[in-house]
Amino acid sequence: MTDDPEAAAVLHQRATLAEDAADALLEAIAENEAAGSIFSAVSDGGNLTTWREPGRTRFGPDFSCPVGNSIDADHWADLHRFGEDIYEAGGLDALDEAIMHIVQLAPAQADWRAKVLESVWFDVGRTA
């Protein structure tokens, strides 16, 4: 976030590109979902955030387990980076608005998309 209009315009453009990229990536994940993928858990009401011990969060899924793979890890990292770009442009409000916008782009996948984005972007802008 900045007071410089030119820098703000660049950040806004970057956030718009990140939203578009997140939409395209979610569409690709949904279309090419392999059985057992970490993102499948969301379809079954699962949660992408995994836990180390009670009260302590490890952000993101555990890709060391047999159902995870490098494609899942790459998708996770890409989506997380898009969230960081959106946050940098407008803070938590922009991130919340982006989730709503991206979810609305594919109404048939709305619940799944919301769960994925909220899980992947859980820590964006909220960690020290």
Side-chain angles (χ1 to χ4, degrees):
M1 294 178 277
T2 179
D3 292 331
D4 177 6
E6 285 184 35
V10 169
L11 288 174
H12 177 74
Q13 179 64 22
R14 196 165 134 197
T16 300
L17 291 172
E19 281 187 34
D20 293 343
D23 172 50
L25 183 54
L26 288 171
E27 190 64 37
I29 291 168
E31 287 178 8
N32 300 312
E33 187 65 29
S37 170
I38 197 71
F39 291 98
S40 294
V42 178
S43 298
D44 299 326
N47 188 342
L48 291 177
T49 303
T50 57
W51 304 90
R52 261 188 279 207
E53 59 192 42
R56 183 147 188 198
T57 305
R58 177 177 65 222
F59 298 115
D62 180 1
F63 290 112
S64 66
C65 65
V67 298
N69 62 48
S70 64
I71 294 171
D72 292 335
D74 291 345
H75 289 336
W76 182 277
D78 288 343
L79 283 171
H80 197 271
R81 189 181 73 250
F82 300 149
E84 289 174 341
D85 288 348
I86 294 165
Y87 173 78
E88 184 179 340
L92 292 176
D93 288 340
L95 204 57
D96 290 340
E97 288 174 21
I99 290 172
M100 290 188 312
H101 177 248
I102 294 166
V103 164
Q104 293 171 356
L105 293 173
Q109 301 171 356
D111 289 342
W112 177 81
R113 282 176 167 234
K115 289 176 186 175
V116 168
L117 291 174
E118 288 170 3
S119 294
V120 174
W121 293 349
F122 175 78
D123 66 329
V124 174
R126 293 175 176 90
T127 58

